Amino acid sequence: MELSKIMRWSLIGWLVWCSCVSCTQEDCRDLPASFDSYAQVYEVIESIHFTQDEVADCSTSSWIRSARFLSCSSEPGFLIIETDKRRYIYLAVPGSTWEAFKRADSKGSYFNKYIKGRYGL
């Protein structure tokens, strides 16, 4: 399946889930059904008011510079991982995965084992 279809279906699923829980409805409804570019995804989610907006301490990581979790309720949400070279956005990441990531001794190892390839756009 091509990337744009995966992005569209992942976002549609997330929006359906979001409508069933305690999201800030007017803001979550502002999320488009699809995106034209990766940059647009970041721009759109930065303009939404999420009830949960947390940053993890990544100071001990050798390659993850920052990690941020955005959600309309406590789960699932968007996970933004920044490295020296790139910003990655992961969709529909469970709150429990975010909490475990924050507690992990090695953020990079946890990311590679439990996040990479599972929630990507």
Side-chain angles (χ1 to χ4, degrees):
M1 188 179 288
E2 66 184 35
L3 184 59
S4 62
K5 286 182 183 176
I6 293 169
M7 286 173 52
R8 183 171 40 253
W9 284 111
S10 294
L11 185 59
I12 289 170
W14 186 79
L15 287 171
V16 168
W17 179 89
C18 192
S19 69
C20 297
V21 295
S22 61
C23 289
T24 307
Q25 292 295 329
E26 63 276 8
D27 290 339
C28 287
R29 288 187 191 154
D30 292 339
L31 289 167
S34 64
F35 295 100
D36 295 327
S37 69
Y38 196 76
Q40 183 191 20
V41 175
Y42 191 74
E43 180 181 324
V44 168
I45 65 173
E46 283 297 310
S47 69
I48 299 295
H49 172 74
F50 292 95
T51 56
Q52 184 177 6
D53 184 348
E54 295 182 4
V55 176
D57 178 7
C58 297
S59 61
T60 60
S61 178
S62 62
W63 63 276
I64 296 177
R65 298 298 165 236
S66 69
R68 184 176 177 197
F69 185 74
L70 303 165
S71 179
C72 291
S73 65
S74 51
E75 62 177 284
F78 291 96
L79 174 62
I80 304 167
I81 300 285
E82 292 194 41
T83 68
D84 289 332
K85 297 181 180 182
R86 188 167 174 206
R87 178 183 311 143
Y88 300 89
I89 302 174
Y90 296 89
L91 180 66
V93 175
S96 58
T97 300
W98 167 247
E99 292 300 322
F101 173 85
K102 289 191 306 182
R103 290 189 310 270
D105 290 332
S106 171
K107 303 291 191 269
S109 293
Y110 185 89
F111 169 83
N112 284 328
K113 188 171 184 178
Y114 298 105
I115 297 170
K116 184 179 179 181
R118 295 180 187 213
Y119 305 103
L121 293 175

